[in-house]
Amino acid sequence: MLNPVGRRAERARRELAAALAALGAPAPTVLTTTVDSPGADQTRRLLAAGADLVVVAGGDGTVREAARVLAGTGVALGIVPTGTANIVARNLRLPRRDVRLAVATALGGGELRMDVGSARMTTAPGPVVEAVFLVMAGIGRDAQTVAATGVRLKRRLGWLAYFTAGIRHALLRPLPMVVDLDGHPRAVRTWTVLFGNLPRVPGGITVFPDAAPGDGALETLEVPLRSLLDWVAVAGTGLFHRPRRTRALAYGRTSAARVTPPSPLPVQLDGDVVTDVVDLEVGVLPGALTVRCRPARPRIRRTAAGRVLH
């Protein structure tokens, strides 16, 4: 499946066809995404045709659409990152600059069973939106930051676009919300509430140091900022990997959560935004998605005769 507006999209198509030809395999069935059909429908069509591997050449949004359909099916997902941030690929340490290596990994890499986050959002107009996320979900100021990041700025600056937009929201006041983790509701004031499945965001910033893709739970983070000094502590924790002991970062862990703001707020799921959310329910689907990852390095066993690779 190909997102045609992604960087290096056409090269990914060529490399995939060449790799399959070299293996003596049939030519790939390539379905392209559109604004109105961003990937879920195409994935369903591939499954209906009997695909046992779906390779996505695109960004995090396209990967997330495919994962929504593939979760629980046992059909593997291969990722060739051609988007702006490629957060999933960064966390899984997939090749991001070498398209040929990315294709080889998608076709023949080892498999990882990873958790999938689920989100059920009630919006102010009334519709309920159900979606999944692979890296993180957030409600509050962080989602406002993502929403404020223009498409042109993202294409020009890459992940730095998110930082540029974030500066404008950094000193806005914390928001009141009711946060319920595993049946224990609390009233809080926080800049955002985040739910993490993987540890890192673009720029090498570690938001959830304890997050693991297959542990069956989500890490949580509330950010009850009070002053500019709190932001300095937050920056030090994420960028310089300092200890997490700061009043501005409240970590937790959950398998099911609910966040209710007093007025509509945006929610971001791996960088895609749903607006006017008045109720957010979050859960986890343990080990639901099979992902092709970088092949393991050969292990070296030393013997009296020398080194043996196996």
Side-chain angles (χ1 to χ4, degrees):
M1 183 168 62
L2 181 74
N3 184 336
V5 301
R7 297 176 301 173
R8 300 173 294 177
E10 284 305 313
R11 183 179 174 189
R13 184 201 295 263
R14 293 194 301 270
E15 292 289 356
L16 180 60
L20 289 173
L23 294 171
T29 299
V30 179
L31 303 181
T32 58
T33 65
T34 66
V35 174
D36 295 329
S37 183
D41 291 339
Q42 292 85 342
T43 305
R44 293 188 187 97
R45 288 170 58 188
L46 292 170
L47 288 182
D52 57 8
L53 169 67
V54 174
V55 176
V56 172
D60 292 303
T62 312
V63 170
R64 187 169 59 83
E65 285 290 306
R68 178 159 67 98
V69 177
L70 294 177
T73 66
V75 174
L77 170 66
I79 301 173
V80 180
T82 62
T84 300
N86 299 314
I87 309 175
V88 175
R90 288 173 185 266
N91 275 278
L92 298 181
R93 301 188 183 280
L94 298 174
R96 292 180 288 110
R97 295 180 177 86
D98 189 329
V99 175
R100 182 173 298 177
L101 182 57
V103 168
T105 302
L107 293 178
E111 294 184 346
L112 167 72
R113 295 288 298 274
M114 70 175 291
D115 303 334
V116 175
S118 63
R120 188 175 190 273
M121 297 159 285
T122 303
T123 63
V128 172
V129 179
E130 294 188 355
V132 303
F133 59 95
L134 299 180
V135 182
M136 72 172 62
I139 181 170
R141 300 295 191 197
D142 87 295
Q144 291 175 342
T145 296
V146 174
T149 305
V151 173
R152 291 182 180 178
L153 192 62
K154 284 173 62 177
R155 289 177 178 171
R156 189 168 73 249
L157 299 181
W159 68 265
L160 286 173
Y162 298 105
F163 177 78
T164 302
I167 291 175
R168 298 197 299 269
H169 293 84
L171 297 182
L172 295 178
R173 293 179 179 179
L175 298 164
M177 305 183 203
V178 175
V179 178
D180 184 336
L181 303 181
D182 294 318
H184 302 284
R186 298 171 292 114
V188 303
R189 295 188 68 87
T190 178
W191 196 78
T192 188
V193 180
L194 297 176
F195 300 93
N197 189 43
L198 295 171
R200 298 176 185 85
V201 297
I205 301 174
T206 300
V207 177
F208 295 101
D210 296 332
D215 61 0
L218 298 172
E219 303 296 313
T220 68
L221 176 59
E222 298 165 23
V223 188
L225 297 167
R226 301 176 187 175
S227 69
L228 182 59
L229 291 177
D230 286 339
W231 266 118
V232 175
V234 169
T237 298
L239 292 174
F240 304 111
H241 309 288
R242 294 176 180 172
R244 299 184 299 173
R245 295 178 182 176
T246 169
R247 67 181 184 182
L249 297 175
Y251 284 88
R253 187 176 173 87
T254 189
S255 58
R258 186 173 187 173
V259 180
T260 308
S263 57
L265 287 176
V267 168
Q268 67 94 0
L269 307 166
D270 296 346
D272 288 337
V273 178
V274 177
T275 59
D276 297 325
V277 174
V278 295
D279 186 82
L280 168 65
E281 296 178 60
V282 173
V284 60
L285 307 173
L289 184 65
T290 302
V291 183
R292 292 279 175 90
C293 295
R294 186 188 298 272
R297 294 179 179 178
R299 293 179 294 167
I300 298 177
R301 175 168 55 88
R302 295 186 180 277
T303 67
R307 297 187 305 170
V308 178
L309 299 182
H310 65 100

